[in-house]
Each structure stands twice: as structure tokens, then as C-alpha cells.
Amino acid sequence: MAPLLLEVDGMKCGGCVRAVEQRLLAQPGVRQASVNLLTRTAWVGLDPSLLAPDRLAAGEASVDPALALVDALVTVGFTARRRDGDDPVRERLRQRQQRSWWQQWRQLLVALLLLLLSAAGHLAEAGSLPQPWLADIRLHALLATAALAGPGRPILRGGWQAALAGMPGMDTLVGLGMASAYLASLVAFLWPAVGWQCFFNEPVMLLGFVLLGRFLEERARFRTGRALEELAALQPDTALLLLGEGEPRPVRVGALRPGDRLRLLPGDRVPVDGRVLAGESAVDVSSLTGEPLPLQATPGSELAAGSLNLEARLELEVLRPGSQSAVARIIRLVEQAQARKAPIQGLADRMAGRFTPLVLALAAATFLFWWQWGTRLWPQVLMAGPSVHLHGGHRSLGMGAETPLALALQLSIAVLVVACPCALGLATPTAITVGTGRAARAGLLFRGGAAIETAAELRRVLFDKTGTLTLGRPLVTAIALVEDGGSGPAGPAAEARLLQLAASLEASSRHPLAFAVLQEAQRRDLAPLPLQEVTALGGQGVAGRLAGGGSCWVGRPEWVQAASGASPLTPADQAWIAGQEEAGASLLAVADGPQLLGLIAVQDQARPDAAASLRALEAMGLELGVLSGDRRGAVERLGLELGLNPAALAWELLPEQKLERILAARHQGPVAMVGDGINDAPALAAADLGIAVGTGTQIAMDSADLVVLGDRLEGLAEALRLARRTMAKVRQNLAWAFAYNLVVLPIAAGVLLPGFGVLLSPPLAALLMALSSITVVGNALLLQGGPSVGARRGG
């Protein structure tokens, strides 16, 4: 069964992430669960037995497996919904963006209003404002009650539910801080005889700073999702549908179905994956693959959604609906990758999950210490107030406490609020999300944070040869005429006649060597000759008869010579053959009747960017090697051409021998295997990081850990550099999060109060907590402004 992707609301910190994961893993049929705090998504791997035949017979097939998971999360205070892959991607992102913007701006206005009223109360209390009614304790009691019952209610409710479930989080800490300040003030207000102080302003200001910080954090998070929105924007909203012979009609992309005919004008983007029916034009595919050169689209060419038509009008046939287009598949792949966390993130989430109970314990210890012993040891920490004051009078935490209870309450609330498991929880997913999004825009698709972490730690990269370091399609590299018994320079007319006859015989063959001969004949504009009685012999070649002429052959030199009865090859011919075979070429002989016309050398060629790509990888300190099943001569020639160490080359390897080499290399450090993603699946799976380099977008759905879209090997170095920069940001964020909490928690607990008089008020603690999260997100966003990755050279 395919994994589920859930959208989870209500998560605020790493403790929330751990709570959601534990609740999901506790549900029947859940094998894996990975939660991303930044994108608020949960990737859930399900047991295929959920759709076992006995359950199908019982009528359970119609039950959405996501419903039970959603209900389970509701019981611990989190709302969730399944991300529907059938909706058009762009529409889903637009709806989510609009909903997010409304919630953010409403939250900002409420936060600013609360801060304004609280500040006015402080100024009126200090005599700075002429309106004495602003300092009325009854007004502030009413304001605090309204604030906690209104905008503060979700925080209080979420914190309470999490605490009841045994999984306290950020809302638990903030809610406990606000509630304790409010309840203490309420007791002092209703029963002045207790002698406590009132500080109704504090929960109001604390809530205002928390909401303001969350608004700023959401705005920073919003920027991390721009990569997916840019990808979604590649797919237009409408398309021109052809109905009979009439004029095309604009329709929504979501209404298109396979088989519909579309018209694509110059400057339009391809709305869905389609096949060209009529017209020829240059098409820019760089937005999806990073490929700098335009694709020449002709009838029969398949175009991916998001490609840009540059020159002429095209008519397309829809192959797949918009929700299954190349853009949609890539976006879903990136969303799933962002939900699947890196190992280092799992460590951070576990620590964040245990962090909240430790903070609660520290806050309790702080309260007891300063209430019972602290003020006796250092009486100077209490502010010298008037000798007589009205119990229940309004005061402000942070402006000095006059009683041990007020000081203890102030410091314990500051501990609760200043602690920031949010920074711990956001440290890794922010960087991973920005990194994967930026890579996707360059046609580099990571399959999650684990792939990025492994890519950053690689020590060795091994390559398959055919289709990876080479083009994967043989080309004619040399032709030798032997008509006169020599293999010197070929005459143009005789060479054309040899190639024309060979291409005519190979026209009906699907062999790769036949394709190379046909391609060379087409390049030279050689028309095929009329043939009769064409017969292909497996492993040998093709025989036929010229219309009105004699028999002819093309194939292995030994077979052609025996079948045609041609004279034996001269020593010079044999030396030429030996030299070509040593270089890795395959040989075809061509005979017309008993006359051997000549020899054709066909050979796979190195990718044009292979040498530069390997130099870039070596400059990164990586060891390179080749594991190939090809012949020794071909592998050694390629290694010499690309400047590889001969000791790092391996040839004539069976699939199991490749696996043995990869497993042996893993003992020396993380190793990557690079293949074409089609026939290298075992080797890709055996490596720490499987990397597929391919030209088609469908390859993105294969099992490689990293997919480099487009026919460009240089994307591999770009991907590894981005992985290293991403993990550097992760380490920086984690270092900041740990350092922040290690420094501010002792200060909030009053360590510097006796000797230096330094004290954190709860509102200031709330502001520092918000700034800590914003700093982590902002640092991750610097990845977007670093060195270019997969620059758009073609569009």
C-alpha cells in the first residue's frame, strides 16, 4: 500500500513532533511515521495487510486508512487531514496559502492589540499617561480574562490536552506560564487578605509576544515553501482545447483527460504531459531538468508539463491528467521527501521530546528555591518597596518583586516561557525543506533528509559505465574500406555506398548497433536501397538481396566472411580490427556478393560533461571508481579519456560481483553508486546512497535516493555541494538551539540575580523564545541566497 501524507495542525515544537509520531506508530497497521514540524506534514508507511482479502470481503475496503489516524491524533489535541493527491497541485497550494495568510494577519492584529493595551496599562501605572482609568486593576483583570478566553484559548487547550496525554510541549509551557500568572493575580484580586500581588498585565503581554513571535515565524516558514510554489506555477491554470475543426476553447487544466487534443502557442507552457501530434518547435525544459539546451519537439515527441514552447504552434494529445503530470509527481515526491526526516533530526526530536518535562522540573525547582530559600540567602534581590502597601494592588512582573512568592512566581514563569523546544524542533526540518526545495528547482530530487545527510558525508562515488559515464547509445566512430585489400583512408563515394547498404539491411533491426548505423546514414542523408528477402540471424547479423541484384550481408566479420565467401582479411585489416576492439569498439562487416566492402566500428561515447563532472567531484575530496560489466578495453579506454585512476576501474563484473565491491567499499566510509536508474537497481540499493542519472521524468518515481533529472552528469556535483551546505546549516541551527537554551535557562532561573541583578521578565522571555525560532528559520533561508545551483542557462 502506498504511504499516506497527512497535514497536521497544532504542532509547535519538537515535543509535539515526538507526540504525533508516537501516537501514529501506536496505531494498528502503521509501520513507519515521520513528521516534519516546518511543513506540518506526517509521512506514514502502512502495512499492506490493511487491504488483505479477508478484510476486503468484510467490506472494509471502502474505509480510508487515514481516518483512524486522524481520529487518533485528535485525541491528543492535533487536527489532521489527508493530503488529497487528486486535487490539482497549484489549487491546493493556493488554498493553503490563502488560509495561512488570513490566520497569520489575524494573529498579528490580535498580538499588536494585546501588546498596545498592556503597554498602556504599564505606562498609566507608572504615571506616564494622564488617563488613570488605564491603570484600573478591574480593567486589566477583564482584559486578561478576555485574552486568555479568546486568542489564548487554543494555547491553553492544546497545552492541557498534551499534558493529559503525557506528552507536554511548547503550548504546555506557555499555557502554564500564562495560567499561573493569571490565577495568582485572580486570587489576589478576589481575596486581598492573602497578601499577594496582582499582575494581570503579564499574561496579556506574554500572550501578545507569543502570538507576535509565531506570526514572524510563520512568515519565515512561508518563504521556505516558495520552491514548491514556483514548481506548481509552471503548470498553467487553463489550456486551449481543440474540438473538431473549430477554434480552440479555453478550459481548466483539471478538466483535461487522456486523449484530449490541445493547441500550444509560442510562449505557452505545456499544461499537462502530452505527445506532439503536429508542428515542430524548440521547447525549453530547463525549469524541470536544468537542461540548458532546448528540446526540438517533432510529431511523436513527449513533452512534460511545465515545459515552455519557444518558437511555433504545436498540437498535443493529452497523455496524463494534471494531477498525474510531471510537475505534480515531482512536487509530491519533494513533499514526501521533506516529511521523511534525517537521522540527525530524529535525535533532535527525541531530545526535544524530553526537553519539556525537564523544563517543567526546572521551573518547579526554581519556584521552590526562590520562595523558600533564595530570598533568605540574598535578601537584596527583593525590591525595596514602601513600608505599607495595599495587598492585591496591581504590580508588574519584571519591574521588581517585593515578596518571595512574587519573585518565585516571576522566575518560574520566565523559565517556562524562555525555554524553546521550537528551535530544537525546527533546526533540521527548516534546512532540509529549503535544501530539497532548491534542489528540486534544479532538477535534483532527494528522497528525504536521510539522503541529504548521507550525501553530505560521502567519501567515495562509484559509477556504472554504460548510460552513466557514456551516452548509452553507440555511435559509428570509424569506417575502413577493404575492397582493395587495404584499410587506409576511406574514399567518400565507396564509404557512402558501404554505409547505405549496411543501413538498408539494418532498417528492420532493433539492435543497438543497427540503430548506430541508421543514425549515421540519416546524418549523411543516405536514402535506403530497395531490398528483398531480408533475414536476421540472432547474434550474427542480417542478410538480404538487392532488388535486381545479388545477396548482401552485414554483421560479425567472421560470419559475413563465411556467408559471403569473401577473401580472408589481410594482416592490415586484422590489425585494424584488433586496435578497434582493444579500444572497446564493436565491429560490423559489410559484403555485397562475394566482395567484402569494408568494416564499421561502433562505439559508445563518453558524455560531453563527464570529464568536467568527475574533476568537480575530485575537487570535493571524493574518491572515484567505475564498476562495469563491459570489456576491459572499453573500460580502460574510458578511464584514460576521463583521467581516472586505473586501480579504481573494474570490468566484466556480474551483478553479484558489483554488489560485493560496493559492500566492501562501505567498510571504508559512506559510498554512493551512480547508475542510469533502469538496470542498476541492485547496485543502487546496496550503496549508502543510490544515485540515478536519467533523461526522463518518470525516473523520479524509481527507488534511487537521489535522482538527477535531465541528460547532465554535472548535476551530481551540484547536488552533493548543496547537501553539504544544507547539513552545515543543520549543524549551525542545532548548535544555536542548544546554546540558546543552555544560556538563557539558567539566567531565567535567576543565576545572575544575586551577583549582577540580571533578571528576565516573562514578556522578555517570550520575546527571546520567539526570536530563537525565527533565528533558526532565517539561517536556513540563507541557503536560498547561496551559490547558484542548476542555474537556468536555457530559460
Side-chain angles (χ1 to χ4, degrees), residues 575-589:
W576 188 84
I577 291 176
Q580 292 293 328
E581 288 182 338
E582 185 178 354
S586 298
L587 277 299
L588 295 173

Side-chain angles (χ1 to χ4, degrees), residues 111 115 118 155 170 173-175 177-178 201-217 397 410-423 740-741 744-745 748 759-775:
L115 290 175
S118 181
I155 296 177
M170 192 69 237
L173 298 179
V174 174
M178 292 191 303
N201 265 337
E202 303 318 309
V204 176
M205 183 168 285
L206 195 157
L207 178 61
F209 275 125
V210 169
L211 295 179
L212 178 62
R214 289 187 177 177
F215 168 80
L216 297 175
E217 183 181 318
L397 288 175
Q410 170 181 348
L411 295 178
S412 60
I413 293 175
V415 169
L416 290 171
V417 177
V418 81
C420 195
C422 293
Y740 163 83
N741 285 294
V744 299
L745 278 174
L759 177 145
L760 285 181
S761 66
L764 180 58
L767 182 61
L768 290 177
M769 179 268 292
L771 291 177
S772 176
S773 298
I774 296 169
T775 301

Side-chain angles (χ1 to χ4, degrees), residues 636-672:
E636 289 184 332
R637 182 197 62 81
L638 180 67
L640 180 63
E641 180 181 349
L642 299 180
L644 292 170
N645 182 1
L649 305 178
W651 50 83
E652 299 179 5
L653 296 178
L654 297 174
E656 55 268 24
Q657 292 174 317
K658 282 188 178 183
L659 295 181
E660 292 174 359
R661 297 287 186 111
I662 293 173
L663 294 175
R666 291 180 65 180
H667 294 300
Q668 303 173 8
V671 60

Side-chain angles (χ1 to χ4, degrees), residues 213-423:
R214 289 187 177 177
F215 168 80
L216 297 175
E217 183 181 318
E218 284 295 326
R219 292 296 301 129
R221 290 190 192 197
F222 175 74
R223 293 184 57 196
T224 65
R226 285 183 177 177
L228 287 184
E229 292 176 16
E230 290 175 6
L231 284 174
L234 296 178
Q235 191 167 10
D237 291 323
T238 60
L240 295 176
L241 177 65
L242 291 172
L243 300 172
E245 301 299 327
E247 289 296 317
R249 303 295 180 88
V251 297
R252 293 184 303 105
V253 169
L256 296 176
R257 294 296 179 264
D260 290 343
R261 294 173 59 241
L262 306 177
R263 175 169 293 173
L264 192 68
L265 301 177
D268 288 347
R269 289 199 177 272
V270 180
V272 292
D273 294 353
R275 181 186 295 111
V276 178
L277 297 177
E280 295 185 6
S281 179
V283 178
D284 180 7
V285 297
S286 63
S287 298
L288 291 176
T289 67
E291 182 67 36
L293 297 179
L295 169 71
Q296 192 64 33
T298 58
S301 300
E302 291 191 11
L303 300 179
S307 304
L308 178 64
N309 184 22
L310 298 176
E311 294 178 340
R313 188 171 68 181
L314 296 173
E315 290 189 9
L316 305 180
E317 177 189 4
V318 175
L319 295 179
R320 285 172 288 274
S323 61
Q324 299 175 18
S325 68
V327 171
R329 292 197 307 270
I330 291 175
I331 288 178
R332 282 195 291 269
L333 180 68
V334 175
E335 287 179 329
Q336 292 180 6
Q338 292 176 347
R340 301 177 70 174
K341 64 181 64 177
I344 193 172
Q345 182 181 345
L347 173 64
D349 287 344
R350 287 192 298 273
M351 297 188 68
R354 298 164 184 161
F355 180 75
T356 302
L358 292 176
V359 173
L360 291 173
L362 178 60
T366 300
F367 179 82
L368 291 174
F369 175 79
W370 288 106
W371 182 28
Q372 296 296 327
W373 304 288
T375 54
R376 298 177 185 177
L377 294 174
W378 301 287
Q380 72 274 14
V381 300
L382 292 178
M383 183 177 183
S387 56
V388 177
H389 63 269
L390 294 175
H391 293 297
H394 191 260
R395 295 289 184 270
S396 296
L397 288 175
M399 299 179 65
E402 300 177 8
T403 64
L405 179 63
L407 180 63
L409 187 61
Q410 170 181 348
L411 295 178
S412 60
I413 293 175
V415 169
L416 290 171
V417 177
V418 81
C420 195
C422 293

Side-chain angles (χ1 to χ4, degrees), residues 27-69:
Q27 304 310 304
V30 176
R31 285 185 171 181
Q32 294 176 292
S34 182
V35 180
N36 188 312
L37 175 61
L38 183 73
T39 59
R40 297 192 176 100
T41 55
W43 181 93
V44 184
L46 297 177
D47 191 331
S49 63
L50 286 178
L51 293 183
D54 58 335
R55 302 188 68 174
L56 292 174
E60 298 183 30
S62 61
V63 178
D64 188 348
L67 293 179
L69 303 181

